[in-house]
Amino acid sequence: MIGAYYKLVRLSDEVRAANKIRSKARLDCICYTDMVVGDYKGLTNFVNHKGQLYFYKTPCREFITTDSKRLAEWSLTGNGLNFSSIYIDDLDFPEIGYGYPNASRHLTNGSENPLFDFRNDGYLFVMNKDYSVIEVFIIPDGRNLISSYYQKFIDGGFDDEVQQLRQQAKPIYSYNEFVL
């Protein structure tokens, strides 16, 4: 059911300096597992010319208008795009969230939305308290049932699959002076 897994981390000061990364809000993907045949393409717009996949942890209030019943304090952005807000509905589990891409054909600036082809995907997030480590689990075509998948994730219904994805993860980019 889970089509892809990505682990994002805030790299250490030493690794960031060695790779000429200045932003402290940047979260780099250090490993991934892709279970989708032909590789999942929904994140290609967030990969730079070096092959690094990364996002910035951005406060939602800067650009998101949302229903006041949903709590989304943070979002993941990159290359001028909002990948997803991170919604947390169950406050007893603040380390687990969900989200999905913008489903509009066009962005607010009028340009084509590069995530439009992936508008039906759903995301589950596992993060630590300060959001310096975020795991992203992608469920292709899972948007309409993401609330159910979120509850199933909290209840441990994906535990075996998550464990397998973590064990199969491989580096996406070799950072200077970085060891997994």
Side-chain angles (χ1 to χ4, degrees):
M1 169 145 325
I2 297 174
Y5 161 73
Y6 298 87
K7 184 173 185 178
L8 310 170
V9 301
R10 183 181 175 278
L11 300 172
S12 70
D13 292 342
E14 296 80 19
V15 174
R16 284 187 302 114
N19 288 276
K20 298 182 173 106
I21 298 168
R22 290 182 286 238
S23 175
K24 292 185 178 186
R26 179 169 153 165
L27 297 167
D28 284 77
C29 181
I30 58 166
C31 61
Y32 77 105
T33 306
D34 195 337
M35 303 303 286
V36 179
V37 176
D39 296 324
Y40 182 76
K41 304 288 187 221
L43 301 182
T44 55
N45 289 290
F46 300 98
V47 178
N48 69 11
H49 67 281
K50 296 179 187 177
Q52 298 168 327
L53 170 62
Y54 62 91
F55 297 96
Y56 295 99
K57 180 179 80 168
T58 308
C60 280
R61 68 182 179 276
E62 291 184 6
F63 59 87
I64 302 293
T65 304
T66 186
D67 180 345
S68 63
K69 295 177 186 169
R70 289 189 303 172
L71 298 175
E73 188 175 344
W74 296 100
S75 64
L76 296 176
T77 63
N79 290 335
L81 299 171
N82 178 22
F83 171 64
S84 178
S85 296
I86 301 174
Y87 298 103
I88 299 171
D89 286 351
D90 191 330
L91 298 180
D92 290 334
F93 297 92
E95 72 282 3
I96 299 173
Y98 69 92
Y100 35 79
N102 179 348
S104 300
R105 184 175 295 277
H106 294 93
L107 301 174
T108 54
N109 65 8
S111 64
E112 294 282 323
N113 177 4
L115 296 176
F116 182 73
D117 290 341
F118 307 95
R119 67 190 175 279
N120 294 319
D121 294 349
Y123 311 135
L124 295 169
F125 301 101
V126 176
M127 50 266 170
N128 64 354
K129 193 171 190 169
D130 67 355
Y131 287 60
S132 62
V133 177
I134 300 177
E135 293 177 295
V136 181
F137 298 90
I138 298 176
I139 301 177
D141 297 318
R143 180 186 186 116
N144 290 338
L145 295 174
I146 197 63
S147 293
S148 297
Y149 295 139
Y150 172 68
Q151 291 303 321
K152 181 178 177 180
F153 199 94
I154 287 172
D155 288 340
F158 288 112
D159 285 357
D160 292 340
E161 192 172 353
V162 165
Q163 182 179 348
Q164 180 183 6
L165 289 166
R166 287 173 174 156
Q167 289 172 348
Q168 294 174 349
K170 57 190 176 209
I172 194 166
Y173 178 82
S174 180
Y175 289 91
N176 295 334
E177 299 181 27
F178 186 71
V179 179
L180 287 176

